[in-house]
Amino acid sequence: MVMIELQSYGSLGCLEDERAGLMKLKDAFHNPAWSTALPSWGGGEERDCCKWEKVVCDNATKRVSQLSLSQARYFGNRWFLDASLFLPFQELQSLSLADDALAGFKGVLNLSKLEVLDLRSNSFTEIPSLDVMQSLRSLNLGGNDLNNSHRFKELTNLTKLEMLHLGDNGLMEIPSSIWALTSLKALSLRNNGLNGLLPLRGLCKLVNLQELDLSNNGFEGNLPSCLMNFTSLRLLELSQNRFEGAIPSTLFPILKSLEYVSLAHNFFEGSFSFSSLANNSNLEVFELVSDNNGLKVETENPPWTPLFQLKVFRLSNCKLNDKTRVLPSFLLNQFQLREIDLSQNSISGTVPMWLVANNTRLEFPNLANNSLKGTLTLHLNSTHLDMLWFDVSSNYIQGELPPLIGYTFPNLITLNMSSNLFQGSIPPSLGDLRVLDILDLSNNNFSGQLPEHLVTGCVSLGILKLSNNSLQGQFLPSKSNLTKLSALFLDSNVFSGEIPLGIMNCSELWLLDLSDNLFSGKIPDWIGDLPLVSLALSKNALEGPIPSGFCKSNELSFLDLSWNNLSGGVPSCVNLSSLRFLHLQGNEFSGPLPSFLSSLLASSLVTFDVRDNKLSGKIPGWINSFSNLRVLLLGGNSFEGPIPFQLCDLRNISMIDLSSNELSGSIPSCLHGIKVGNETAFDDTFGTEIYGGYMFMPLLSYSYENQISVDQAVRVPISISDIEEEVEFITKSRSETYKGNVLYFMSGIDLSWNKLTGPIPFEIGYLSDIHALNLSHNHLTGPIPESFSNLKQIESLDLCHNSLSGQIPPKLVELNYLSVFTVAYNNLSGRTPDRKAQFATFDEHSYEGNSLLCGVPLERRCINNEDMSPPPQPSYAVQDDTFKIAFLSTFWPTYAVAFVGIIVILYYYPYHKHLIWM
């Protein structure tokens, strides 16, 4: 009776024991924190488990043969799955548990007929036991954490294994057991911590390989010659390593089955000719991107017609024909390209728009950073619906943009034409690009007003960069439709009027740069309603106070209001705890620095620039609350009183400008303890990027029968903050601007044009990494410290217009980087330093105004070896002590004798007086 029921049920669908087993699996995958896993299993009227999602049964036996449980429990904490739950499925041939947050199994998977096991993208730290799975042909363990696994030796038992994926595991060395798997057809070790030379003795045994992926590691040395023995190779992925030397000219003619080749981002040298690919008829993807620009690529081959039709071709940062710098000639015969990257090759000639015309399905052409000239010409009545990304930035293309560019590429997502010589007006047809996300027309010569259709039609626009043009007029009408705008760059144009009200509609705006225009009026109060992280309004004609609307701007990281006519103060309600860069230079702010700034700005502040205002009072001691401060610029105000010793608590400071104030007193000797110039590595201190990196846009996916999958995605560089932190600092007798990474190397102290007195502390000479020191135009006295010879990195030293005396320390000639030096107009004497090294370049202007100085380059010559061996500088402390000792040793005896004499006189005086008047 039981047998009859089983047979009957079996004719209707899956076996009951397997159905029950699947329901137990469903319970195991259930995550209470999320919706029910595998909802179709057991639900509704469908009892045949062979028809459930993620289940495949054998047509004849109705036994479960495949289970695809990937992402069945994608969210949640790591967990262990009971291996015994798979015991009912003894005919199982394929099991996928990818992306299930698994940390491992409880017990052993006893699936002797299993051929495909996919455990990728989990959290396994140990390979599951493989002893009973000797039928495995495909094992995918990629994206786990198997660096310390002890079971790699069990791989040797998998004699039938054809595909092994160990990528993304943090492996520090290749498991030697792999080399025994001579049946392997596909091997992936991509994106691990592997480096050094390839173990050729093992690798060269795998002659049956069809797919080899070693990308994103640190392998070094030449390409192994035994690659030419892998005659069945279809995929060769070696990108993102440190391979060097020449690419063997015989490699590709031998490997005729190649479909996918990537040698990108290595350090190859020598020469390469595309003619070596002539017989690779199956080739679809070829990448050759140099990381050292050391590879010479021959493009002007004798005429030849390739047998292949590429879909992806990337050739970047290479040396193309030293003389002609032309495109590879075989591209004339390519008609199926989906992506072509020819950036950073210094290619000359006109813009090769024939590439667009010949390849009607082209999606991603990249011609950036070349030397292309001429105009951009589009074929009339041609529409390229597949074009998603078009980049011709950083060339020399001139003329006007084609008026119908929006019609020709209606589905563009990214359009980058920055840093060219385009001129004229921006065509209104750009407003037809309804899905455009990034538009960059910066650094050109565009003029006129922005077309209204652009700001009303580009409803998907996220990044708009129009910097450094000659655009004018009002920018955003109130009916603009840029509601998804994240970053807006309008800097360095001629826009005028008040800040446009239309910006208020950009409710997702993170970055706004309106600097260097002609905007006037007050900063609108509604600007605080925007979720701004970076705001630059410098170099306009804005006036009035900082609005109280800033009290809502809690996320601001970068604020530049410099060089306007702003006045008043900072509203006390403002919360600037996230602010890292504050620039208020060149305004009309007055009065003392308000004490509440110490709590508002807190420790996140990196740059504090309030130069050239009308600030007064003392520099407050709470300045030391800016514990991460690197740049402090207070020059050009009316601060008075002493330099506070709390300044020495700013241990991370690299630039200090207190010049042109009314500061008095001495220079604090504790300044030697600050970090000026002592940067040893880059960090994120001066980073201003709000959101940046690369957007990976899917292009093609290559999935081979052996299950190594290589996705071809285009890396679209995106950055919604190209506002670099920029600091002006006077060094080498002129104002210099330092941007971005240069700030990590620049350091200096400027205390000039004050009323400082006393000697220069010899401890200042301990600032051995400082680049610029300006103490000029003060009332400093005493000698130049001998310790200044320790300023080994100094480039500019200005001590002029003080009252310094004594000799110039001879050892200053050891300062090999010194390019500006002046001690003019002091009271120095003796011989000028020897005319050698950098001091051979300084003329008389460096020494003038010191009447007692002699020697070249001054006209006054030293007579009779004048001051050749100057007397040692007196030790004032010792002299003072000697005087005190001598004074005390004579004072008390003298005092005692005088005291006794006075007493005697007073005693006898009345008696003598009486005798006289008698």
Side-chain angles (χ1 to χ4, degrees):
M1 182 66 179
V2 174
M3 190 67 177
I4 293 173
E5 286 182 3
L6 283 175
Q7 292 287 349
S8 174
Y9 192 75
S11 65
L12 296 175
C14 65
L15 300 183
E16 181 61 31
D17 62 335
E18 293 191 336
R19 183 181 186 279
L22 290 175
M23 294 304 295
K24 290 181 180 179
L25 273 176
K26 176 179 179 177
D27 291 339
F29 274 85
H30 175 64
N31 184 352
W34 303 93
S35 58
T36 303
L38 306 166
S40 69
W41 288 17
E45 299 179 358
E46 186 56 72
R47 293 184 56 83
D48 183 2
C49 62
C50 291
K51 296 181 180 180
W52 291 354
E53 62 172 332
K54 300 179 180 291
V55 180
V56 175
C57 295
D58 183 89
N59 290 330
T61 65
K62 298 298 182 180
R63 298 293 299 268
V64 175
S65 60
Q66 296 182 35
L67 282 177
S68 179
L69 302 179
S70 60
Q71 296 188 352
R73 184 173 172 171
Y74 182 69
F75 297 102
N77 298 326
R78 302 191 318 166
W79 63 295
F80 289 84
L81 179 60
D82 187 351
S84 66
L85 293 174
F86 293 96
L87 287 176
F89 313 106
Q90 289 304 305
E91 298 298 320
L92 194 65
Q93 298 177 17
S94 177
L95 173 62
S96 175
L97 296 170
D99 290 302
D100 281 323
L102 281 171
F105 292 109
K106 296 178 181 178
V108 177
L109 278 176
N110 192 2
L111 299 170
S112 59
K113 295 186 179 181
L114 196 66
E115 296 183 2
V116 176
L117 179 59
D118 185 358
L119 301 176
R120 72 183 187 276
S121 302
N122 280 291
S123 300
F124 283 88
T125 57
E126 187 63 83
I127 295 175
S129 179
L130 303 172
D131 286 339
V132 296
M133 293 187 286
Q134 296 185 19
S135 297
L136 274 180
R137 295 182 181 276
S138 175
L139 178 59
N140 193 333
L141 297 170
N144 284 281
D145 188 14
L146 298 174
N147 182 46
N148 297 315
S149 176
H150 299 290
R151 287 183 177 164
F152 280 118
K153 60 183 179 181
E154 294 186 20
L155 291 174
T156 57
N157 300 325
L158 306 180
T159 56
K160 297 180 181 179
L161 197 66
E162 296 181 353
M163 195 289 287
L164 177 61
H165 194 332
L166 291 175
D168 299 281
N169 268 290
L171 300 179
M172 303 304 292
E173 60 181 17
I174 302 176
S176 58
S177 54
I178 291 177
W179 312 132
L181 305 176
T182 54
S183 297
L184 275 183
K185 294 182 179 179
L187 174 63
S188 175
L189 297 171
R190 71 186 181 207
N191 201 27
N192 281 293
L194 304 170
N195 51 50
L197 299 175
L198 283 171
L200 300 184
R201 181 174 298 181
L203 178 64
C204 294
K205 294 178 182 179
L206 306 182
V207 294
N208 293 313
L209 280 178
Q210 297 179 14
E211 296 139 38
L212 177 61
D213 187 351
L214 303 177
S215 61
N216 287 281
N217 282 289
F219 291 118
E220 302 173 356
N222 296 332
L223 292 182
S225 59
C226 67
L227 285 177
M228 288 181 274
N229 298 330
F230 300 171
T231 54
S232 300
L233 205 61
R234 294 187 296 164
L235 181 146
L236 180 61
E237 172 55 280
L238 302 178
S239 64
Q240 300 282 350
N241 280 285
R242 302 185 64 83
F243 289 116
E244 57 190 12
I247 300 172
S249 59
T250 56
L251 179 64
F252 299 114
I254 294 176
L255 304 181
K256 296 182 181 181
S257 299
L258 281 171
E259 301 174 23
Y260 181 112
V261 177
S262 179
L263 304 177
H265 299 292
N266 282 284
F267 296 88
F268 294 115
E269 296 178 340
S271 60
F272 175 79
S273 175
F274 285 109
S275 61
S276 64
L277 304 174
N279 296 322
N280 296 98
S281 59
N282 298 321
L283 196 62
E284 293 186 355
V285 175
F286 187 84
E287 298 182 338
L288 188 56
V289 179
S290 174
D291 272 0
N292 62 343
N293 194 235
L295 184 65
K296 179 181 178 181
V297 177
E298 184 65 39
T299 59
E300 286 188 304
N301 311 110
W304 60 285
T305 301
L307 298 178
F308 55 79
Q309 283 294 319
L310 293 176
K311 293 182 179 178
V312 176
F313 179 58
R314 292 174 180 161
L315 177 69
S316 180
N317 198 32
C318 295
K319 297 178 180 178
L320 306 188
N321 294 85
D322 290 339
K323 295 182 180 180
T324 55
R325 298 279 183 179
V326 297
L327 292 172
S329 57
F330 77 89
L331 289 175
L332 291 167
N333 300 104
Q334 298 298 298
F335 304 100
Q336 296 181 19
L337 283 168
R338 303 282 295 279
E339 183 204 347
I340 182 166
D341 182 357
L342 297 171
S343 62
Q344 301 184 67
N345 288 309
S346 300
I347 297 172
S348 59
T350 58
V351 185
M353 293 304 294
W354 49 266
L355 282 170
V356 177
N358 288 355
N359 298 274
T360 56
R361 297 197 62 191
L362 189 62
E363 298 178 25
F364 300 94
N366 185 357
L367 299 170
N369 291 286
N370 283 292
S371 299
L372 298 172
K373 300 179 181 179
T375 59
L376 187 66
T377 305
L378 299 178
H379 293 278
L380 295 175
N381 302 320
S382 64
T383 303
H384 297 269
L385 299 178
D386 291 314
M387 188 75 72
L388 302 178
W389 188 63
F390 190 79
D391 190 347
V392 292
S393 61
S394 299
N395 281 283
Y396 300 98
I397 307 171
Q398 55 191 11
E400 298 186 359
L401 281 184
L404 297 180
I405 187 171
Y407 170 81
T408 305
F409 305 130
N411 295 320
L412 275 179
I413 296 175
T414 297
L415 177 60
N416 189 350
M417 296 187 168
S418 63
S419 301
N420 278 284
L421 302 174
F422 288 114
Q423 58 190 26
S425 58
I426 296 175
S429 69
L430 288 178
D432 295 330
L433 302 177
R434 307 286 292 180
V435 295
L436 188 66
D437 181 45
I438 301 174
L439 175 60
D440 190 350
L441 303 178
S442 61
N443 298 298
N444 281 286
N445 296 316
F446 289 114
S447 58
Q449 297 190 1
L450 283 184
E452 185 173 316
H453 188 39
L454 173 66
V455 297
T456 57
C458 294
V459 293
S460 301
L461 201 59
I463 302 174
L464 178 58
K465 303 181 72 171
L466 301 174
S467 312
N468 291 295
N469 283 286
S470 298
L471 299 168
Q472 58 187 2
Q474 289 283 342
F475 167 61
L476 281 179
S478 57
K479 61 180 180 179
S480 64
N481 203 17
L482 302 181
T483 57
K484 295 184 178 181
L485 204 61
S486 298
L488 176 58
F489 296 84
L490 300 180
D491 52 294
S492 300
N493 280 284
V494 201
F495 291 112
S496 58
E498 296 186 348
I499 294 177
L501 187 63
I503 295 178
M504 186 170 59
N505 299 329
C506 304
S507 58
E508 299 180 12
L509 196 64
W510 288 8
L511 182 149
L512 177 61
D513 189 352
L514 304 181
S515 60
D516 198 10
N517 278 282
L518 300 176
F519 289 113
S520 58
K522 297 182 177 181
I523 299 175
D525 201 62
W526 51 257
I527 208 162
D529 296 325
L530 301 174
L532 289 171
V533 177
S534 181
L535 174 63
L537 301 176
S538 64
K539 298 179 182 178
N540 281 286
L542 301 171
E543 58 187 14
I546 295 176
S548 59
F550 273 98
C551 298
K552 306 174 187 177
S553 301
N554 298 330
E555 301 299 324
L556 266 179
S557 174
F558 182 98
L559 178 60
D560 188 352
L561 304 179
S562 58
W563 299 112
N564 282 284
N565 296 314
L566 301 174
S567 57
V570 179
S572 59
C573 61
V574 171
N575 179 4
L576 300 178
S577 58
S578 298
L579 197 66
R580 299 176 63 210
F581 308 98
L582 177 60
H583 296 269
L584 301 176
Q585 179 186 12
N587 281 285
E588 300 292 323
F589 296 117
S590 59
L593 288 176
S595 59
F596 64 80
L597 285 179
S598 62
S599 57
L600 291 183
L601 298 174
S603 60
S604 62
L605 197 66
V606 175
T607 299
F608 185 53
D609 183 358
V610 293
R611 288 171 299 173
D612 301 308
N613 279 280
K614 297 179 179 179
L615 298 171
S616 58
K618 295 182 178 181
I619 297 176
W622 53 254
I623 200 78
N624 61 1
S625 63
F626 304 155
S627 58
N628 197 43
L629 198 67
R630 298 289 185 94
V631 180
L632 176 63
L633 308 175
L634 306 179
N637 284 285
S638 298
F639 290 115
E640 59 186 8
I643 297 175
F645 67 88
Q646 289 90 343
L647 199 66
C648 303
D649 295 333
L650 301 176
R651 297 292 179 173
N652 294 312
I653 202 80
S654 58
M655 279 187 272
I656 299 175
D657 181 4
L658 306 182
S659 65
S660 300
N661 280 286
E662 302 292 329
L663 299 173
S664 57
S666 59
I667 299 174
S669 60
C670 60
L671 286 176
H672 76 276
I674 62 179
K675 194 179 179 180
V676 170
N678 191 18
E679 281 296 329
T680 57
F682 289 110
D683 52 25
D684 192 40
T685 301
F686 289 110
T688 60
E689 189 173 72
I690 297 173
Y691 176 77
Y694 292 92
M695 175 172 59
F696 287 87
M697 303 183 69
L699 182 62
L700 300 169
S701 181
Y702 290 83
S703 297
Y704 292 89
E705 62 185 26
N706 296 309
Q707 293 193 5
I708 279 191
S709 176
V710 178
D711 294 324
Q712 271 294 323
V714 179
R715 290 200 321 166
V716 180
I718 55 174
S719 171
I720 66 169
S721 178
D722 281 348
I723 293 182
E724 288 186 300
E725 171 60 344
E726 179 176 318
V727 173
E728 291 183 16
F729 195 83
I730 294 179
T731 180
K732 301 181 181 180
S733 302
R734 60 181 182 271
S735 180
E736 298 280 1
T737 299
Y738 301 92
K739 293 183 180 181
N741 289 340
V742 177
L743 288 169
Y744 291 101
F745 300 102
M746 179 54 197
S747 58
I749 296 177
D750 189 351
L751 306 180
S752 63
W753 292 97
N754 280 286
K755 298 177 180 178
L756 300 174
T757 58
I760 301 174
F762 73 91
E763 291 91 345
I764 299 296
Y766 297 155
L767 298 172
S768 57
D769 293 307
I770 195 170
H771 290 266
L773 178 61
N774 190 347
L775 305 178
S776 66
H777 295 88
N778 280 286
H779 306 300
L780 301 173
T781 57
I784 299 173
E786 295 277 354
S787 60
F788 273 24
S789 61
N790 297 321
L791 305 178
K792 299 300 184 182
Q793 300 297 321
I794 198 157
E795 300 174 19
S796 177
L797 178 59
D798 190 347
L799 305 176
C800 71
H801 290 277
N802 279 287
S803 299
L804 300 174
S805 58
Q807 186 189 28
I808 301 173
K811 286 190 175 182
L812 293 186
V813 297
E814 299 175 2
L815 303 178
N816 295 324
Y817 296 102
L818 195 61
S819 59
V820 171
F821 172 74
T822 176
V823 291
Y825 299 100
N826 279 283
N827 296 320
L828 298 170
S829 59
R831 181 180 293 273
T832 57
D834 292 341
R835 299 282 291 174
K836 62 182 182 180
Q838 290 298 105
F839 274 78
T841 65
F842 304 140
D843 60 20
E844 66 275 9
H845 297 298
S846 295
Y847 306 102
E848 63 186 355
N850 291 279
S851 59
L852 299 180
L853 274 181
C854 63
V856 181
L858 297 173
E859 293 183 1
R860 182 172 181 265
R861 297 293 180 258
C862 297
I863 303 172
N864 297 325
N865 293 324
E866 179 180 0
D867 293 312
M868 283 293 288
S869 300
Q873 296 178 5
S875 175
Y876 296 105
V878 173
Q879 287 184 350
D880 287 347
D881 290 343
T882 303
F883 174 77
K884 290 178 182 178
I885 294 171
F887 174 81
L888 293 174
S889 63
T890 59
F891 173 79
W892 291 112
T894 304
Y895 179 83
V897 172
F899 181 79
V900 172
I902 292 172
I903 294 299
V904 170
I905 292 172
L906 291 176
Y907 180 81
Y908 287 104
Y909 178 74
Y911 176 73
H912 286 288
K913 181 178 180 182
H914 177 71
L915 289 178
I916 293 171
W917 286 104
M918 286 293 291

